[in-house]
């Protein structure tokens, strides 16, 4: 049987296997934590895991936005200049 351990504050620690005949440890549950949580915390009254991470903590884990490389930036500038030249040749913006 798969079990999930938590610390004294009910924060997820790790998972393990025990025999179905073994007694459930005091600091564990057989309720699987749901996917997508950053900092799993167990509520023993509701017998459910929930997100305990702050918004700031979750945002700090997100990767920095990828900066476009120089070639991509130059392609965008050329496209914009080409559009502006074609608009000028037609007598202004359309």
């Amino acid at each position: 049987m798969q079990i999930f351990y938590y610390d004294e504050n009910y924060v997820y620690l790790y998972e393990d296997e025990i025999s179905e005949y073994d007694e459930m440890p005091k600091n564990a549950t057989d309720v699987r934590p749901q996917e997508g949580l950053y900092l799993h915390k167990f509520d023993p009254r509701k017998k459910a895991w929930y997100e305990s991470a702050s918004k700031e903590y979750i945002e700090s884990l997100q990767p920095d936005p990828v900066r476009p490389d120089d070639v991509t930036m130059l392609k965008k500038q050329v496209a914009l200049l080409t559009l502006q030249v074609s608009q000028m040749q037609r007598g202004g913006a359309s």
Side-chain angles (χ1 to χ4, degrees):
M1 172 169 60
Q2 196 80 17
I3 61 170
F4 306 91
Y5 285 91
Y6 47 82
D7 66 12
E8 64 277 354
N9 296 315
Y10 300 100
V11 175
Y12 174 82
L13 293 173
Y14 62 94
E15 62 185 82
D16 200 4
E17 290 250 348
I18 62 170
S19 166
E20 62 187 68
Y21 303 107
D22 289 337
E23 189 174 322
M24 179 69 69
K26 191 174 185 174
N27 63 328
T29 181
D30 59 353
V31 177
R32 178 178 296 280
Q34 64 201 55
E35 294 289 324
L37 299 179
Y38 290 88
L39 192 56
H40 304 76
K41 198 165 186 179
F42 188 67
D43 183 337
R45 290 174 300 213
K46 294 181 180 178
K47 295 188 186 279
W49 294 93
Y50 65 94
E51 180 64 73
S52 66
S54 68
K55 181 179 177 185
E56 292 78 18
Y57 175 76
I58 294 171
E59 288 174 355
S60 76
L61 298 176
Q62 303 306 312
D64 292 333
V66 178
R67 268 192 70 213
D69 62 354
D70 291 339
V71 173
T72 302
M73 291 296 293
L74 287 172
K75 284 180 181 180
K76 286 181 179 180
Q77 288 176 342
V78 167
L80 179 60
L81 290 172
T82 302
L83 175 64
Q84 288 173 344
V85 167
S86 70
Q87 287 174 342
M88 287 174 53
Q89 288 175 337
R90 287 185 297 193
S94 51

